[in-house]
Amino acid sequence: MKEENSAGHISRREMLAGTAIAVTTLAITKVTGVEAGPEPQAVTPVVSAEVSFTVNGKVQKLEIDTRTTLLDSLREHLHLTGTKKGCDHGQCGACTVLVNGKRINSCLSLALQHENDSITTIEGLGSPEKLHPMQSAFIKHDGYQCGYCTPGQICSAVAVLEEIKAGIPSHASADLNSKVAFTSAEFRERMSGNICRCGAYSNIAEAAAEVAGA
Amino acid sequence: MNPFQFTRANTTQAAVSAVSKETGAYFLAGGTNLIDLVKREVIIPERLVDINRLPLATIEETASGIRIGAMAKNSAVADHPLIKKHFPLLSMALNAGASAQLRNMATVGGNMMQRTRCPYFYDHSMPCNKRSPVQSGPFKGQLNGPAGCGAIGGVNRMHAIFGTSEKCIAVHPSDMCIALAALDATVNVTGPKGNRSIPFAEFHRLPGDAPQKDNTLLPGELILSVDVPKNEMSKYSHYLKVRDRASYAFALVSVGVAADMKGKTIQDIRLAMGGVAHKPWRLAEAEVYLKGKEATLENFKQAATLAMQGAKGYGENDFKLTLAPNAIIEALQIATQTV
């Protein structure tokens, strides 16, 4: 695959041949803590490792490519496609899930970082037969248009109500020590990591206010 | 992303050993910046050493102050009773940074180690001395693009006005570090040659001729904790962050203030600025000027003038030459409750 023609370019034939070799020589090496890797070869081997975590109450054991993000492990390996990939760079919040009760961007975290963690996705919050109160409120208040960011919005909104209940202040709070209450300003600041390009923000805020009893 | 090995470290010694024996090995904490850099192939690691299992997340009172474990999450630090009580400036700065999801992932050590958000640093097709230093060595693992600085004479609205060099005008993006710089923190690290402590002001560095080096850590060194000494400045403090959006945006300019007041007189004061330099920018001359003076608009204006000496715009960021002194004055007014 490294051969070059006289013009210094890899020809199409060599490229195709190289690709075929690459496919047949893909090697899986396990992470054992020692470098027991294979002999140097034309292609970089895929490295895999094992991880075990709980998703929506069910223990999952995976052997996956070390590069797999938590998001891709949920969507591509466990087929829980409710969690969405938006920007894949931690900027949009579509991939928001709860890990040990805290909301995170699952796209910026490797699956291997989550050994023994407890993960809740939108599928774990409710089901079409038994909706979570936040899911019902989003439907009632039309808290979406295309719906792509909605699973992340709902996971995030559920966490916001918990954070307010726990008295955790935000950038919008009057000061660090006064009692935190659900207000539109508090909710909007706390939800700034979830982007909705349809612009359903007002309805999302109304849905969350209803669940918060505000 | 290129394939990489993955090691879970169970002890700090094992982590340091794993990272110091390979040039392409990196510590992986919260991952919020590193995983993004790896996805964008700005960093191409041969191994990531996961340090999330290390017992370094404690926040505790010491004889002289508060010790914050390097693996404490940003959200945990911001809401910790000891931090809210003694260093509200630190809580305010943390709450002004990133999003709630990112603050739940990002650690104190990782926040200090995050790279600039200069767009040229992330774009291999554009020149960048920070991403592609001419010299090789410890940065061998990084993908080379052209050297140079695209931001000088280019798109530089977000860039530095203090301490720049011909090689780099990038800014350090952290809010937390502005508070830690103002609060005279100390960074405790361990490495192949043992433990040492670094004053916060000496942790980050100016770009000079080696913009690829953000800080003064030696190869293989790992941050263990940050010590913040107690002071009498908790009551009068404020973190003012000016940004393009009301939330979830990097600072154009930010100002951290902590003061000790007796009546209208400033007994002691700490001032630092973000979004203006390659490192948290401490306003030492303004601090000296304000000590013992009355908290008045005139004195604040004079302090801001002193603070802005040596500032230099690069075109698109010229507005910071006006925004920064105005932000200093406003932050001082809010912190000293003299608005």
Side-chain angles (χ1 to χ4, degrees):
Chain A
M1 197 170 174
K2 291 280 168 64
E3 281 178 76
E4 293 182 350
N5 63 21
S6 55
H9 295 113
I10 296 170
S11 72
R12 179 174 159 79
R13 178 174 303 199
E14 283 159 351
M15 180 66 196
L16 289 173
T19 308
I21 293 163
V23 170
T24 53
T25 56
L26 273 181
I28 304 278
T29 59
K30 295 211 174 134
V31 174
T32 57
V34 286
E35 286 117 306
E39 291 299 303
Q41 45 190 287
V43 288
T44 313
V46 170
V47 187
S48 80
E50 289 173 1
V51 67
S52 171
F53 45 61
T54 303
V55 183
N56 301 330
K58 196 174 161 199
V59 177
Q60 301 283 358
K61 285 185 195 301
L62 294 170
E63 181 171 342
I64 47 172
D65 187 319
T66 54
R67 295 169 289 183
T68 314
T69 58
L70 177 60
L71 171 62
D72 286 340
S73 74
L74 294 170
R75 287 182 56 83
E76 311 299 333
H77 293 263
L78 300 173
H79 307 296
L80 292 167
T81 53
T83 308
K84 296 293 185 278
K85 183 182 280 192
C87 68
D88 209 26
H89 292 284
Q91 296 174 359
C92 77
C95 68
T96 303
V97 298
L98 306 175
V99 174
N100 304 330
K102 307 259 192 218
R103 51 181 167 148
I104 70 157
N105 298 113
S106 61
C107 74
L108 284 186
S109 201
L110 295 178
L112 293 177
Q113 288 175 255
H114 294 284
E115 180 74 18
N116 296 329
D117 279 351
S118 176
I119 297 145
T120 304
T121 68
I122 188 72
E123 291 94 341
L125 284 180
S127 63
E129 298 75 38
K130 199 177 176 212
L131 293 170
H132 185 281
M134 192 64 79
Q135 291 172 313
S136 301
F138 265 63
I139 294 168
K140 181 179 165 190
H141 291 275
D142 218 3
Y144 47 79
Q145 194 180 118
C146 80
Y148 195 79
C149 72
T150 311
Q153 298 278 3
I154 290 175
C155 284
S156 211
V158 167
V160 168
L161 298 201
E162 290 298 318
E163 289 160 17
I164 290 176
K165 206 187 285 176
I168 299 171
S170 81
H171 178 67
S173 306
D175 70 74
L176 294 168
N177 297 306
S178 58
K179 196 169 172 350
V180 185
F182 185 102
T183 62
S184 183
E186 279 284 357
F187 183 73
R188 283 163 191 267
E189 159 61 27
R190 290 166 192 266
M191 291 292 286
S192 67
N194 290 82
I195 312 294
C196 170
R197 276 303 68 131
C198 302
Y201 298 114
S202 299
N203 295 359
I204 291 169
E206 282 173 19
E210 180 173 304
V211 180
Chain B
M1 263 194 274
N2 283 262
F4 52 77
Q5 306 278 337
F6 186 90
T7 305
R8 286 194 190 99
N10 292 317
T11 64
T12 51
Q13 294 93 323
V16 166
S17 161
V19 167
S20 32
K21 72 182 181 199
E22 273 178 281
T23 48
Y26 294 79
F27 296 115
L28 173 63
T32 56
N33 188 212
L34 181 56
I35 298 301
D36 195 29
L37 289 162
V38 173
K39 282 186 183 188
R40 294 173 192 269
E41 298 184 351
V42 174
I43 290 175
I44 301 179
E46 282 158 32
R47 180 183 298 278
L48 293 184
V49 178
D50 183 359
I51 54 172
N52 283 286
R53 250 138 256 278
L54 303 183
L56 297 174
T58 314
I59 300 167
E60 61 193 351
E61 209 154 0
T62 62
S64 56
I66 309 293
R67 174 163 289 181
I68 307 168
M71 292 302 291
K73 302 291 187 189
N74 283 187
S75 53
V77 177
D79 189 46
H80 197 282
L82 285 171
I83 304 299
K84 287 194 284 190
K85 182 180 171 201
H86 297 288
F87 312 115
L89 175 62
L90 180 54
S91 287
M92 283 187 266
L94 282 162
N95 285 336
S99 68
Q101 287 98 316
L102 291 168
R103 294 193 294 270
N104 280 338
M105 306 167 78
T107 63
V108 168
N111 189 315
M112 291 163 59
M113 296 300 292
Q114 68 177 309
R115 311 302 306 271
T116 184
R117 297 314 197 279
C118 173
Y120 296 95
F121 177 66
Y122 287 80
D123 185 347
H124 314 134
S125 66
M126 302 300 285
C128 175
N129 291 319
K130 185 182 280 296
R131 183 195 62 240
S132 308
V134 180
Q135 57 272 60
S136 56
F139 299 88
K140 197 179 99 189
Q142 295 185 7
L143 185 73
N144 286 326
C149 178
I152 296 174
V155 176
N156 56 33
R157 187 169 174 276
M158 300 298 290
H159 289 70
I161 53 173
F162 289 112
T164 54
S165 78
E166 287 173 4
K167 299 261 180 155
C168 181
I169 60 169
V171 297
H172 194 269
S174 171
D175 293 296
M176 179 195 81
C177 291
I178 306 309
L180 290 176
L183 294 168
D184 283 326
T186 302
V187 188
N188 302 309
V189 308
T190 189
K193 289 176 185 164
N195 296 353
R196 68 183 179 117
S197 295
I198 308 167
F200 204 86
E202 292 167 26
F203 183 85
H204 295 101
R205 60 185 294 287
L206 291 176
D209 282 336
Q212 71 274 23
K213 290 182 186 169
D214 292 348
N215 56 60
T216 54
L217 282 182
L218 301 170
E221 280 190 324
L222 173 68
I223 304 168
L224 297 175
S225 62
V226 176
D227 285 334
V228 190
K230 274 192 196 150
N231 59 45
E232 300 299 318
M233 294 180 266
S234 63
K235 195 179 166 201
Y236 298 95
S237 52
H238 189 70
Y239 187 74
L240 178 71
K241 184 173 180 180
V242 186
R243 43 186 162 174
D244 284 330
R245 297 190 296 262
S247 183
Y248 198 18
F250 289 101
L252 295 166
V253 165
S254 69
V255 184
V257 186
D260 178 17
M261 305 275 292
K262 193 173 181 184
K264 285 209 76 180
T265 307
I266 298 166
Q267 304 276 92
D268 200 359
I269 191 157
R270 302 276 186 277
L271 273 167
M273 246 198 298
V276 294
H278 196 258
K279 62 184 285 187
W281 196 250
R282 187 76 180 262
L283 310 181
E285 285 182 36
E287 287 177 13
V288 170
Y289 173 79
L290 287 170
K291 230 178 256 188
K293 292 217 170 52
E294 295 259 299
T296 64
L297 181 59
E298 274 318 303
N299 285 336
F300 293 161
K301 281 183 177 170
Q302 185 54 33
T305 304
L306 285 168
M308 292 306 294
Q309 281 176 353
K312 182 187 170 192
Y314 285 85
E316 289 191 2
N317 70 348
D318 287 351
F319 72 95
K320 290 190 182 182
L321 301 175
T322 309
L323 182 62
N326 288 345
I328 292 169
I329 293 164
E330 186 173 335
L332 282 166
Q333 287 181 307
I334 297 171
T336 57
Q337 301 169 12
T338 53
V339 179

